[in-house]
Amino acid sequence: VMGSQNWTACPSGTYQPLYGQRECLRCPIGFQCPERGLPVPRLCPAGYVCDVTGTARADQPCPAGHFCLEGTATTATTCGHARPSSALFPTRLHAERHSTAGTGFGREDERPQLSLGARNAGCFSNRTDDVGLQLSSVPGRFWQERHLLPLDETSPFNPHRGRYCLDDACLRLEDADDLSVVDAHFDYIAYGANLRRPVPCPPGQYCQPGTAVSRGNMRNFSAPQPCAESMYCPEGSESPSGVGSCPRGHYCPFGVRLACPAGAFCPRDGLSSPIVCEPGFFNGMVGQ
């Protein structure tokens, strides 16, 4: 109080930027207030999520399969279930933890909300047993008339036939790097820092809880780690094995799924490199 001889520093989890105030303000979402007497809250550190008000010290680690930059303000993700599926899976935001000021409220009884995260390895195939169509760039309905068959070994060609699959990418939201949050007392625009969502781990790598950076470093487990050879790790993978063995028609050098090229074949799961066609045999299609 103005003119008073006695005053009390705001406890951790709160702040107060003005003089002569009777009470302290709870730390806003996306920030932490780890010390007593803070006039300004501090941005949530990398590797953690500050998704509730009154956070004294960030102790909610970044969700598995993601990395969190400074100012991550939600645990909601857009990668759906660990294994790609066409279904939507429910997720919950984490409740207030022991480091928050006040008792808050629990969310155990709340009905979970669906998180957008459906993805599925959709594939399509236009393979054919017709040798001419395998090697020709001319559409099939014209080939029977033109009878083009590029047999010249010195003429490079790009295969147009075979089996093609989508990349199992996570959904992208427009507010991923500029999450909108409203607080009655804190001006996010004036502070000048954007709040963020967790970022999916890159393909071919996996992220443990608390991952804080985007670039891999095998000596630092707070960074993305390379996946095991012959395993398939799409975006948002949580373990070295990703979603399992590399599927047939593909090969996976250290977690990255690649379509089997023309001139080779991948007849079984779990291949780390394609098998070259034996002498006397050929393959003019991809993904076989």
Side-chain angles (χ1 to χ4, degrees), residues 64-286:
H66 297 74
F67 63 89
C68 292
L69 304 176
E70 274 191 327
T72 301
T74 178
T75 55
T77 61
T78 59
C79 288
H81 198 263
R83 288 186 175 274
S85 170
S86 59
L88 286 173
F89 288 84
T91 69
R92 294 188 186 187
L93 296 179
H94 288 272
E96 292 186 342
R97 299 173 66 83
H98 61 79
S99 62
T100 58
T103 57
F105 59 90
R107 298 178 182 171
E108 293 300 324
D109 296 331
E110 289 189 2
R111 186 176 181 180
Q113 295 183 350
L114 287 178
S115 172
L116 291 178
R119 55 176 178 162
N120 189 26
C123 300
F124 68 93
S125 176
N126 62 356
R127 72 179 307 278
T128 177
D129 293 329
D130 190 311
V131 177
L133 287 179
Q134 289 182 18
L135 303 181
S136 176
S137 62
V138 178
R141 62 179 180 272
F142 297 124
W143 188 86
Q144 292 295 337
E145 300 174 4
R146 299 184 60 177
H147 298 283
L148 294 179
L149 186 61
L151 296 178
D152 186 359
E153 295 181 356
T154 63
S155 300
F157 71 94
N158 295 319
H160 293 268
R161 298 274 174 174
R163 184 168 178 265
Y164 298 86
C165 295
L166 302 180
D167 59 4
D168 285 336
C170 301
L171 295 180
R172 291 288 187 270
L173 301 181
E174 291 184 353
D175 64 352
D177 294 319
D178 189 12
L179 186 63
S180 178
V181 178
V182 177
D183 189 279
H185 304 285
F186 186 75
D187 190 342
Y188 285 94
I189 297 178
Y191 188 88
N194 293 343
L195 300 185
R196 310 172 188 272
R197 294 181 180 274
V199 184
C201 207
Q205 299 178 325
Y206 72 97
C207 292
Q208 301 182 94
T211 300
V213 295
S214 59
R215 297 186 64 179
N217 185 346
M218 295 182 66
R219 298 182 179 180
N220 182 2
F221 282 97
S222 66
Q225 301 296 305
C227 286
E229 195 174 46
S230 78
M231 296 296 173
Y232 172 40
C233 288
E235 271 191 333
S237 292
E238 303 176 4
S239 70
S241 59
V243 296
S245 298
C246 194
R248 287 182 299 173
H250 300 82
Y251 65 102
C252 297
F254 296 104
V256 179
R257 186 186 67 182
L258 302 174
C260 215
F265 66 111
C266 300
R268 60 181 183 272
D269 294 344
L271 288 179
S272 59
S273 60
I275 302 175
V276 178
C277 292
E278 297 180 358
F281 296 86
F282 78 99
N283 174 33
M285 298 183 290
V286 300

